[in-house]
Amino acid sequence: MGIDQVTLNFNSATLTIMNILIGFIMFGVALDLKVDDFKRTLSTPRPVLIGLIAQFFLLPAFTFLLVMIVKPLPSIALGLFLVAACPGGNLSNFLTYLGKGNTPLSISMSAISTVLAIFMTPFNTLFWGSLYPGTNALMRSFSISPVDMLVTIFIMLGVPLVAGMYIGYKYPGWASRTNKWMKRFSIIFFILFVLASLASNFTYFLDFVGMVAIVVFLHNLVAILLGYFSSRVAGLPEKDRRAIAIEVGIQNSGLGLILIFNFFDGLGGMAIVAAWWAIWHIVSGLSLATFWSKREPETTAINGGIQV
């Protein structure tokens, strides 16, 4: 059996738990967000705009080029398009802090990209997927409603984001205490989430992960390099470059998995791409952040940069 004929199995109860888990993680992240984070972005919008352009425009476009060059099987290609369309992952703020990057910039990008993802994730997935012949034909075999996808993403990301920020504003003491342990356990929840998505399909994962390992490595490398060098070309300081590189390179592949099971019936190639992305970007992100943690960034101020 080929990877495009594999459909990973997920029952409705497990899928509901996974939806709640993603919302719970987003709620924990939102507890630490303040209105001032958005005000800072409005006062110095250039770094965030450059990061968001790299996140939602350059990465999907370069993913299309990668697919055209590598020519993976259709479900693998569609998985790459979907992951590229997702917002930054929930570990990016911690990794930016570890890597001595601009943490406030990372937080601002995470918050804004999460809001924009409600619209941009379905748009980019369906737009770029429709341009590649193999994925266009594959998408036609599913009944995909952009509105339904938008509503699903809003419920998983938008509602917990608003709720978390509201609780953080009304009860700052409780939010501060709660946020500490939620940050510590968010990575554990995320790993459990990935393991749960693979548990009943582990044989398929072992059989086919080799088919996606190299292309996911290249895709993740492209994302990190796009974030770093687009901000470098724009003249941003080193701390901003590090934040944007990590933000673009750490994708919310957990959200991608949820969408794959909700809208693509757990299609094997897509699910294995997203699952391996979830594992690999932790490895690459921690490695990069650890490397940078031993090297002080340049402190040259640049107009428009957000200084810490």
Side-chain angles (χ1 to χ4, degrees), residues 1-174:
M1 180 183 292
I3 194 170
D4 280 349
Q5 284 72 52
V6 171
T7 300
L8 301 191
N9 298 314
F10 244 62
N11 60 55
S12 58
T14 306
L15 190 57
T16 299
I17 293 172
M18 291 172 68
N19 280 320
I20 294 172
L21 181 56
I22 285 290
F24 179 73
I25 293 173
M26 190 65 243
F27 176 80
V29 171
L31 286 174
D32 203 32
L33 296 178
K34 305 291 187 295
V35 175
D36 286 344
D37 295 326
F38 295 92
K39 288 181 178 178
R40 186 186 300 112
T41 300
L42 293 175
S43 63
T44 52
R46 185 165 167 264
V48 174
L49 287 174
I50 291 166
L52 293 174
I53 288 171
Q55 177 82 59
F56 287 119
F57 295 96
L58 294 181
L59 180 55
F62 274 78
T63 300
F64 182 80
L65 291 178
L66 178 64
V67 166
M68 293 292 290
I69 294 169
V70 177
K71 299 186 184 302
L73 293 173
S75 64
I76 294 175
L78 192 54
L80 295 175
F81 289 141
L82 178 58
V83 169
C86 289
N90 59 299
L91 299 176
S92 59
N93 305 150
F94 165 73
L95 293 175
T96 298
Y97 174 79
L98 177 63
K100 298 182 178 179
N102 189 336
T103 307
L105 172 58
S106 176
I107 292 171
S108 297
M109 274 194 65
S110 294
I112 295 173
S113 68
T114 297
V115 174
L116 291 179
I118 296 171
F119 306 97
M120 293 302 295
T121 295
F123 170 78
N124 273 329
T125 301
L126 300 178
F127 175 76
W128 292 103
S130 68
L131 294 183
Y132 189 65
T135 53
N136 185 27
L138 186 59
M139 286 195 305
R140 291 176 182 273
S141 65
F142 296 96
S143 299
I144 304 170
S145 167
V147 174
D148 288 345
M149 189 178 289
L150 187 151
V151 170
T152 299
I153 296 173
F154 176 75
I155 291 172
M156 286 192 296
L157 299 184
V159 173
L161 178 70
V162 173
M165 290 187 67
Y166 177 77
I167 294 297
Y169 172 74
K170 291 289 290 184
Y171 308 100
W174 180 88

Side-chain angles (χ1 to χ4, degrees), residues 170-218:
K170 291 289 290 184
Y171 308 100
W174 180 88
S176 179
R177 293 191 301 271
T178 303
N179 183 253
K180 288 180 180 178
W181 69 263
M182 289 190 76
K183 276 187 174 180
R184 293 169 185 167
F185 288 103
S186 63
I187 187 170
I188 297 175
F189 292 153
F190 187 74
I191 292 171
L192 289 175
F193 168 79
V194 175
L195 292 177
S197 69
L198 297 176
S200 59
N201 305 278
F202 197 62
T203 301
Y204 286 144
F205 180 76
L206 292 179
D207 287 344
F208 295 111
V209 68
M211 297 179 64
V212 306
I214 294 177
V215 73
V216 166
F217 167 80
L218 293 173

